[in-house]
Amino acid sequence: MALTDRCDIFGSVHEKGINRIVRHLMRQRPSLFNYGTAFFLRNPNLLCERIQAAPEVLQAHDPLLSVQDPVPILGAAIPLGLNWCLQFTDLQIDFHPGNVFHLPNELGNLPAQRLALRMRGCFGLDCPSEEFIREILPQVEAEEVAQRGKEVFGTKERQPAAPEREPIVLPTRKLQCLCVELFAVLHFEWGTIPGNPQQWLKLRLDGLEIVDLGPAPLEEMAECYIRAVLKLGILPRLSVPIEAMVLNITELMRKQGLAIGETITLQPTPVPAGVPNNPAVEDDRLKAFINLVVEV
Amino acid sequence: MAHFTLAVSEGTFRRSFDLLKRNLRFSKSDQASFGIFVAGYDVRAHLEGGTLDLRADNTISVRELDIRWDRLRFTLGINIPEICVGGGCINMPWPIPDICLPRVCVFSGNPDISISPDLAAFVAQEVSFTGRVVARYFDASVPPPLPDLCAPIRIEPLPDHNQWHIHIDPQTIDVDLFDFPDIVGNLIENTLSNAVRAIIPGGFVRDIILAIIGGIADFIRFLLDIPDEIDEWLSDLFNVSFGLLDFIGTLVLDFFSTCNPIYRIDDPFELLPASNGLIPVRIPLRNLSVRVNDAEMVAEVDIGG
């Protein structure tokens, strides 16, 4: 059976190909997958997980992580911050049938036309030592008393707003790390969006599971929040209108200096008239079926 | 199983081929002077007929593609230096008016003498071609062979990094510089059709006669084309071009296509460009291949580890 039996052009990508591309991305652009305070640029060995960067990244002195502000210590009279990091250490995709990784029991087997994602991430937060807390406490107390004095004499409101001070980041010896594994099952579907009659290709979340994050209420709370973020925040942004998938060949050829009196486009093969699923998630691949449409 | 697969059906190739034939027009004209001689051309051509076939032996075959000339005019002229006589005036005593002689010039044209025949009706070419698409790896670390025979005809210089190159590997070429069956058929069809149109202004009788003339012309084309069909069939059977011109043409095109890929893909391939001081993200491409069967052309590539 030919690949193009039900379409004019067929394209597919195997899960191994995507997973290799992700691995290359993680090694060559580690700052897309690692976030943390500037402290870790100088001390990457203190991160929760060692960053496996490609040699050329190290040679070019590219940053290994995207620098973020420290976590503030709430209520402190002087701005104090803690070092932290968030690392995505593993990201894999598995197209039906599931065979790249095992889904947790809560998600069951990977159903037909579904894809699964596995992500492992670590969050690390500094726990300041008692010794340092003792060291800085007098400074905090003095500032606290000074501020209280200003409030007593009613001068606080009349003072011009002081420029925001850079927080003092407490020195880190070792991070407290929490690593979790997250699994998600998704599928593609076509549908309209209110106020826009054309068809849109949407990615829908079927299930989500965080493995072994205890206690149970905390795990449920985290899963619920991530599910809401994915369903309402991230996945709607990934919806693609069908007109964005139509490639205007006539226009491309006109730019190349060849004027054609017909309109030639590449369009997704219609579902279900042309193919049962488009894109199809099967045989460990993501398959796309495309038709060449010529209109006079 | 390859990581990335792209397949294009034979039907898509045929429709694209038809689109190209319908829309591709070649037109060029120029003129140049060589001392007293002037030479020029004004040509316009399009493609007609021909079939495209993807075959199970991993080849693509284009058969009997006609090159039709809408205009094939060559101009040859001579520019003779201008010679003028007369034009002077004889002053006469008053009141007799001056007598002026008329000025007569010859060879004032540019060019003065020229012939400009339009050969479009008498010339037609037919091309048949069989070839395969081949992917080859260019390893920049391997020095080019000495002597580098490709150097004089290489369109683009050799890259300084590794690349995958897609080549057309011609198997057989059959070029009929003068496609006599079509030339004769066209002349007969045009002459008879014009005569019928002049005699019978319109109506179904004229249409029937024109259809019969078209059929007769096609039959003449078919009869005259039999030797060429046999030649093409034998070429196809033995996978070699018969005829000295075709044989040389195949060798030249083979050499040219070996030296000049039709498409190049960098290895590693740049997935994300350099930005904000970060190096680009590149992925290695492995096992790029292009194969053809009687239903489709399939290109596959793997991502290296």
Side-chain angles (χ1 to χ4, degrees):
Chain A
M1 184 177 159
L3 298 169
T4 51
D5 274 348
R6 292 174 295 173
C7 62
D8 292 326
I9 297 170
F10 166 88
S12 79
V13 53
H14 197 278
E15 60 199 12
K16 283 184 187 169
I18 294 186
N19 289 333
R20 282 197 178 179
I21 288 176
V22 170
R23 213 157 54 228
H24 283 295
L25 260 175
M26 291 180 110
R27 282 171 51 79
Q28 294 181 49
R29 209 41 86 77
S31 55
L32 284 176
F33 299 89
N34 295 280
Y35 300 84
T37 47
F39 170 81
F40 296 107
L41 288 176
R42 299 179 301 275
N43 303 282
N45 51 324
L46 288 180
L47 286 163
C48 291
E49 296 265 328
R50 186 170 162 266
I51 296 174
Q52 309 273 345
E56 49 269 36
V57 172
L58 302 174
Q59 280 164 15
H61 301 291
D62 279 4
L64 296 181
L65 51 85
S66 298
V67 174
Q68 308 291 316
D69 290 335
V71 172
I73 296 180
L74 300 174
I78 56 174
L80 293 173
L82 295 178
N83 286 313
W84 65 277
C85 73
L86 177 65
Q87 295 180 272
F88 298 101
T89 56
D90 237 335
L91 186 60
Q92 283 181 304
I93 199 161
D94 190 357
F95 296 127
H96 180 268
N99 48 18
V100 176
F101 48 80
H102 289 290
L103 286 174
N105 292 334
E106 290 85 345
L107 293 176
N109 288 330
L110 189 61
Q113 297 298 330
R114 298 293 190 272
L115 62 109
L117 283 177
R118 175 183 163 267
M119 195 168 71
R120 185 175 177 274
C122 292
F123 178 73
L125 185 64
D126 179 30
C127 180
S129 65
E130 278 303 319
E131 177 193 343
F132 188 78
I133 290 176
R134 269 200 306 274
E135 207 173 285
I136 202 163
L137 187 57
Q139 196 183 331
V140 173
E141 284 172 339
E143 182 68 24
E144 175 62 33
V145 170
Q147 284 184 8
R148 209 179 291 166
K150 285 175 191 171
E151 282 173 23
V152 168
F153 296 113
T155 54
K156 192 173 184 183
E157 289 77 12
R158 287 196 292 271
Q159 290 292 324
E164 207 165 284
R165 286 157 63 185
E166 278 290 309
I168 299 167
V169 184
L170 306 190
T172 301
R173 288 186 191 143
K174 190 175 185 303
L175 286 183
Q176 299 293 321
C177 290
L178 169 70
C179 295
V180 293
E181 244 183 330
L182 181 145
F183 292 86
V185 174
L186 305 112
H187 73 274
F188 290 101
E189 72 176 31
W190 288 95
T192 54
I193 286 177
N196 192 316
Q198 68 170 314
Q199 290 287 311
W200 289 67
L201 182 64
K202 305 170 184 179
L203 194 55
R204 294 293 196 214
L205 179 72
D206 295 312
L208 184 132
E209 179 64 26
I210 298 174
V211 178
D212 295 338
L213 176 69
L218 178 64
E219 181 179 322
E220 281 165 26
M221 196 189 298
E223 283 172 3
C224 183
Y225 180 70
I226 295 172
R227 198 177 296 124
V229 167
L230 281 172
K231 284 188 169 178
L232 301 174
I234 295 173
L235 296 184
R237 293 180 185 211
L238 302 179
S239 298
V240 186
I242 193 166
E243 71 177 13
M245 295 181 211
V246 174
L247 183 64
N248 191 333
I249 303 287
T250 311
E251 190 59 25
L252 286 177
M253 296 187 92
R254 195 183 60 75
K255 284 179 184 166
Q256 296 291 321
L258 180 63
I260 286 185
E262 291 149 290
T263 306
I264 311 160
T265 50
L266 293 179
Q267 300 182 3
T269 305
V271 175
V275 285
N277 298 287
N278 192 12
V281 182
E282 57 200 22
D283 307 326
D284 298 323
R285 298 167 161 267
L286 179 67
K287 301 175 178 176
F289 304 90
I290 299 157
N291 281 351
L292 178 78
V293 179
V294 180
E295 291 160 316
V296 180
Chain B
M1 198 173 275
H3 293 163
F4 285 85
T5 305
L6 180 73
V8 182
S9 70
E10 184 180 46
T12 307
F13 272 105
R14 285 184 175 157
R15 288 166 69 197
S16 306
F17 184 61
D18 288 341
L19 275 167
L20 201 67
K21 282 190 296 184
R22 281 204 298 273
N23 292 285
L24 193 66
R25 291 280 182 278
F26 170 79
S27 178
K28 204 163 174 61
S29 61
D30 199 5
Q31 188 165 311
S33 297
F34 308 94
I36 64 166
F37 294 104
V38 176
Y41 64 87
D42 182 7
V43 296
R44 199 174 73 185
H46 67 275
L47 301 173
E48 265 183 25
T51 55
L52 188 143
D53 194 21
L54 302 189
R55 308 193 307 180
D57 64 354
N58 202 21
T59 60
I60 302 172
S61 166
V62 175
R63 293 177 63 83
E64 303 192 334
L65 176 64
D66 295 317
I67 301 169
R68 289 280 172 268
W69 297 95
D70 306 310
R71 196 165 52 229
L72 187 63
R73 183 174 289 136
F74 294 97
T75 305
L76 196 62
I78 301 173
N79 224 349
I80 301 170
E82 189 180 56
I83 300 169
C84 295
V85 293
C89 289
I90 302 165
N91 295 327
M92 302 300 286
W94 190 88
I96 302 167
D98 293 349
I99 298 170
C100 290
L101 295 172
R103 181 178 170 83
V104 178
C105 292
V106 290
F107 307 127
S108 334
N110 186 18
D112 299 297
I113 304 164
S114 75
I115 51 168
S116 185
D118 189 349
L119 305 174
F122 308 102
V123 178
Q125 282 82 41
E126 186 187 274
V127 179
S128 295
F129 170 87
T130 306
R132 61 184 61 177
V133 183
V134 183
R136 295 188 184 123
Y137 194 71
F138 173 77
D139 186 346
S141 65
V142 177
L146 286 173
D148 184 8
L149 298 175
C150 282
I153 59 164
R154 196 172 282 127
I155 295 169
E156 277 188 46
L158 288 175
D160 56 1
H161 54 277
N162 295 352
Q163 279 185 338
W164 282 98
H165 287 175
I166 309 291
H167 294 265
I168 297 286
D169 179 19
Q171 304 292 301
T172 61
I173 298 167
D174 181 73
V175 181
D176 296 331
L177 282 179
F178 293 95
D179 184 11
F180 287 110
D182 272 349
I183 293 170
V184 174
N186 290 349
L187 281 174
I188 290 172
E189 189 170 3
N190 290 341
T191 310
L192 292 179
S193 300
N194 289 340
V196 169
R197 282 194 192 97
I199 296 165
I200 311 170
F204 74 95
V205 177
R206 189 184 77 165
D207 293 340
I208 291 171
I209 294 172
L210 287 176
I212 292 169
I213 290 170
I216 292 169
D218 283 344
F219 184 65
I220 292 169
R221 286 188 190 105
F222 168 73
L223 282 180
L224 294 173
D225 202 30
I226 286 175
D228 190 50
E229 289 281 349
I230 294 171
D231 179 46
E232 285 168 14
W233 178 72
L234 286 171
S235 289
D236 205 27
L237 190 65
F238 294 109
N239 213 20
V240 65
S241 295
F242 289 102
L244 185 62
L245 186 70
D246 294 337
F247 185 70
I248 293 170
T250 307
L251 286 179
V252 170
L253 200 61
D254 196 9
F255 183 58
F256 184 81
S257 62
T258 304
C259 299
N260 293 291
I262 56 166
Y263 197 69
R264 298 156 185 255
I265 306 166
D266 287 342
D267 179 43
F269 178 77
E270 188 173 293
L271 188 70
L272 289 180
S275 68
N276 300 327
L278 301 176
I279 62 167
V281 175
R282 295 191 172 113
I283 50 170
L285 302 179
R286 299 284 174 265
N287 311 323
L288 177 68
S289 68
V290 183
R291 58 188 159 82
V292 169
N293 57 42
D294 56 0
E296 60 201 2
M297 177 189 279
V298 182
E300 293 177 323
V301 69
D302 287 337
I303 306 298

